[in-house]
């Protein structure tokens, strides 16, 4: 251990050494020669210790330093202390790396550590099995040279890792893998690959089941509804109970038809592969048509509906889907706002995108319901929903449409004051004027 007084002791010893050489010079009557010999001896001694230090650092296999007097003793001790500290740090770091690797090996997912140049730093056993990587042969190779699916290469190049992607496995096309990349450390990325084949298969089965059942139910419901209309016109003098029964059956049949239509729309949106950048949507023309339908729906409740539309705000997207999303939000406001209420529809440009909102002064929604509103068939008030004839799929359709257009549904509501349903399409979807 180095103490502060070590330097003062060295100065005292050096002074005594020079003083001794001066006394010897006076004794032999040659001070210059005595001082020169003393300095030469000091240089030789220091060079000897430098040689011993170099030999100890580069050739010795022991950590124990050589013994030396004076300041060299403290130099040896200081280096020995630093070596021990660094050795402990390396040992702790090695233990940490070992635990990380053991934990990564225990994961059911494939894990690959890549650097900022997307070169492989390390991978676990599942990555070698599922992705076909070889370790350590593939160390330092670019990951996109080994996983060459175009969707994965595009995912890497965009560097937008907010959402994962799903592509077939490189070693087995019958498997579907979910690739997720996240920041790891200062200049590294962590690639986690999960087998989602079963989940994807079940999701496809669910979509097919909903689509097939909904399609098959359309024909018998159409037949039933047709016969109910015939019966309603045939029984002119029928008892009240018969007329009421026929009318109620007709209402419920119409409700089931609406439900099936919504299920088919939702199924089409979920399975849609249409590119949103390939079509331009004239939003002003679309809102004109929705306004006509809204006025027809609003005859009984007589709401004051105001459309504040920017006619020059045109976007890229799927027109049928955007029309479905906007009309669902507007028609919901008509259904659930008490008579003579106010409904404001807004479509305008913002700095960060195209903003759409439906604002009403209805009863509002409690906070506990807000996060579940977009779930299928979820209803805040079941009795009231049955009365209005809602299917419980409207907001779920809106959510899927917006996800397809890289947007999210925002809901703000206060009980007794009203609600605001809005979304913001990203700037990239706004069609710029020619020449801009």
């Amino acid at each position: 251990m180095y103490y502060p007084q070590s330097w003062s002791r060295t100065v005292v010893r050096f002074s005594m050494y020079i003083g001794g050489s001066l006394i010897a010079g006076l004794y032999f009557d040659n001070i210059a020669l005595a001082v020169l010999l003393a300095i030469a001896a000091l240089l030789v001694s220091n060079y000897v210790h430098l040689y011993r230090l170099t030999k100890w650092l580069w050739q010795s296999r022991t950590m124990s330093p050589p013994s030396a007097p004076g300041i060299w003793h403290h130099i040896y001790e200081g280096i020995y202390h630093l070596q021990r500290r660094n050795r402990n740090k390396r040992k702790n770091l090695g233990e940490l790396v070992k635990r990380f690797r053991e934990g990564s090996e225990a994961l059911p997912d494939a894990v690959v550590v890549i650097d900022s140049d997307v070169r492989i730093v390390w991978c676990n056993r599942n990555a070698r099995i599922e992705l076909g990587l070889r370790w350590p042969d593939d160390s330092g190779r670019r990951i996109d040279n080994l996983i060459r699916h175009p969707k994965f290469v595009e995912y890497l190049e965009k560097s937008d890792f907010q959402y994962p992607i799903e592509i077939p496995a490189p070693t087995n096309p019958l498997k579907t893998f979910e690739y997720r990349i996240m920041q790891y450390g200062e200049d590294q990325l962590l690639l986690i690959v999960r087998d989602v084949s079963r989940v994807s298969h079940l999701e496809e089965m669910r979509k097919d089941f909903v689509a097939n059942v909904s399609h098959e139910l359309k024909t018998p419901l159409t037949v039933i509804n047709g016969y109910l209309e015939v019966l309603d016109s045939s029984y002119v003098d029928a008892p009240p109970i018969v007329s009421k029964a026929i009318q109620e059956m007709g209402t419920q049949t119409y409700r089931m038809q609406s439900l099936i239509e919504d299920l088919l729309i939702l199924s089409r949106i979920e399975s849609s592969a249409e590119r949103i950048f390939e079509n331009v949507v004239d939003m002003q023309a679309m809102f004109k048509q929705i306004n006509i339908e809204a006025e027809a729906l609003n005859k009984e409740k007589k709401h004051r509906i105001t459309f504040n539309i920017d006619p020059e705000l045109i976007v890229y997207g799927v027109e049928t889907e955007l029309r479905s999303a906007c009309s669902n939000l507007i028609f919901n406001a008509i259904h659930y706002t008490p008579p003579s209420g106010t409904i404001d529809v807004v479509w305008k440009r913002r700095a960060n995108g195209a903003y759409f909102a439906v604002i009403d002064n209805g009863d509002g929604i409690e906070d506990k319901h807000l996060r579940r509103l977009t779930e299928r068939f979820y209803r805040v008030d079941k009795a009231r929903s049955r009365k209005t004839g809602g299917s419980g799929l409207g907001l779920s359709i809106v959510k899927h449409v917006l996800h397809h257009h890289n947007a999210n549904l925002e809901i703000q509501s206060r009980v007794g004051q009203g609600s605001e349903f809005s979304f913001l399409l990203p700037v990239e979807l706004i069609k710029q004027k020619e020449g801009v």
Side-chain angles (χ1 to χ4, degrees):
M1 180 65 70
Y2 178 74
Y3 296 99
Q5 59 267 31
S6 300
W7 180 248
S8 58
R9 288 179 180 176
T10 301
V11 171
V12 171
R13 286 175 181 174
F14 180 74
S15 300
M16 291 176 65
Y17 181 76
I18 296 298
S21 65
L22 289 173
I23 292 171
L26 289 172
Y27 180 78
F28 291 104
D29 197 23
N30 196 337
I31 297 176
L33 180 62
V35 172
L36 184 62
L37 290 174
I39 293 175
L42 189 61
L43 285 174
V44 170
S45 174
N46 283 331
Y47 271 108
V48 169
H49 286 298
L50 282 173
Y51 171 76
R52 294 177 66 192
L53 175 62
T54 304
K55 188 176 180 180
W56 175 54
L57 291 176
W58 292 99
Q59 298 179 12
S60 178
R61 296 184 179 181
T62 63
M63 282 191 63
S64 300
S67 58
I71 192 65
W72 282 102
H73 172 75
H74 297 292
I75 292 174
Y76 282 127
E77 287 296 327
I79 294 174
Y80 175 67
H81 177 71
L82 289 175
Q83 282 184 331
R84 286 189 60 186
R85 188 167 62 184
N86 290 335
R87 188 176 184 181
N88 290 333
K89 285 184 177 179
R90 288 197 300 271
K91 183 179 178 181
N92 293 334
L93 183 61
E95 290 292 330
L96 185 63
V97 172
K98 182 181 177 182
R99 286 198 297 269
F100 167 77
R101 290 188 174 182
E102 288 176 350
S104 299
E105 294 290 356
L107 288 174
D109 305 326
V111 178
V112 184
V113 179
I114 54 181
D115 61 19
S116 56
D117 296 324
V118 298
R119 298 185 183 277
I120 298 174
V121 177
W122 181 81
C123 64
N124 69 348
R125 188 171 65 90
N126 277 343
R128 300 192 287 273
I129 294 172
E130 300 290 0
L131 302 180
L133 302 182
R134 293 175 297 176
W135 184 259
D137 298 345
D138 289 334
S139 176
R141 296 187 63 183
R142 289 179 61 92
I143 188 71
D144 51 357
N145 288 339
L146 302 172
I147 304 175
R148 300 184 178 182
H149 195 283
K151 194 174 179 181
F152 178 74
V153 175
E154 182 184 4
Y155 184 55
L156 272 179
E157 290 176 350
K158 284 186 176 180
S159 298
D160 182 10
F161 306 134
Q162 184 177 1
Y163 301 104
I165 59 170
E166 291 184 8
I167 57 176
T171 56
N172 187 352
L174 298 179
K175 288 184 177 182
T176 302
F177 284 172
E178 178 190 82
Y179 292 74
R180 181 183 293 274
I181 296 179
M182 58 195 73
Q183 291 292 334
Y184 176 71
E186 294 182 358
D187 56 352
Q188 292 182 336
L189 300 171
L190 190 66
L191 170 63
I192 298 179
V193 183
R194 177 171 298 173
D195 187 350
V196 293
S197 306
R198 178 176 172 79
V199 176
S200 299
H201 181 62
L202 290 174
E203 183 65 14
E204 287 298 324
M205 288 178 59
R206 182 191 64 78
K207 290 178 182 178
D208 292 342
F209 174 77
V210 172
N212 293 335
V213 169
S214 301
H215 182 74
E216 293 299 326
L217 284 174
K218 285 186 70 177
T219 301
L221 281 174
T222 302
V223 173
I224 293 171
N225 195 46
Y227 277 112
L228 286 173
E229 290 177 359
V230 172
L231 288 173
D232 191 30
S233 59
S234 299
Y235 287 93
V236 179
D237 299 325
I241 186 64
V242 175
S243 299
K244 183 178 179 182
I246 293 174
Q247 183 181 1
E248 185 63 26
M249 284 189 289
T251 301
Q252 295 302 321
T253 304
Y254 175 77
R255 184 183 172 198
M256 288 185 67
Q257 286 178 322
S258 299
L259 176 60
I260 290 170
E261 289 295 333
D262 284 346
L263 283 171
L264 288 172
I265 291 171
L266 188 57
S267 179
R268 282 196 297 269
I269 293 171
E270 286 181 331
S271 59
S272 174
E274 192 170 353
R275 296 180 181 271
I276 57 178
F277 288 101
E278 292 181 351
N279 302 300
V280 176
V281 183
D282 186 348
M283 299 296 288
Q284 184 184 20
M286 187 186 79
F287 283 123
K288 283 182 179 179
Q289 184 60 37
I290 294 178
N291 190 12
I292 295 172
E293 297 172 4
E295 291 296 339
L297 188 65
N298 190 40
K299 286 182 179 179
E300 291 185 6
K301 291 198 170 183
K302 301 184 184 304
H303 298 308
R304 183 176 64 82
I305 304 176
T306 305
F307 279 77
N308 301 305
I309 307 301
D310 182 351
E312 298 182 353
L313 183 53
I314 300 173
V315 297
Y316 293 98
V318 182
E319 183 171 354
T320 54
E321 294 184 6
L322 288 175
R323 175 187 171 83
S324 179
C326 296
S327 61
N328 263 299
L329 294 177
I330 295 170
F331 296 164
N332 274 357
I334 294 173
H335 283 308
Y336 296 109
T337 301
S340 302
T342 60
I343 299 172
D344 294 322
V345 180
V346 179
W347 172 250
K348 64 180 181 181
R349 185 189 298 267
R350 281 188 173 179
N352 53 346
Y355 176 73
F356 173 81
V358 179
I359 307 165
D360 64 63
N361 65 343
D363 297 332
I365 307 166
E366 294 182 35
D367 290 342
K368 65 180 181 180
H369 298 295
L370 293 181
R371 66 182 183 86
R372 299 193 60 190
L373 283 180
T374 55
E375 294 179 11
R376 300 182 187 192
F377 305 110
Y378 183 79
R379 302 175 186 273
V380 176
D381 187 340
K382 295 182 180 180
R384 185 178 170 191
S385 297
R386 283 194 294 269
K387 185 178 179 181
T388 57
S391 65
L393 292 172
L395 292 181
S396 185
I397 291 173
V398 173
K399 181 183 74 172
H400 282 83
V401 168
L402 296 181
H403 282 183
H404 189 200
H405 289 76
N406 301 327
N408 293 302
L409 178 63
E410 301 292 337
I411 306 173
Q412 297 179 1
S413 185
R414 289 187 177 181
V415 177
Q417 296 184 23
S419 305
E420 177 179 335
F421 291 76
S422 63
F423 61 81
L424 186 72
L425 297 181
V427 176
E428 293 79 15
L429 290 183
I430 298 178
K431 185 180 186 301
Q432 303 295 333
K433 293 181 181 179
E434 294 184 2
V436 177

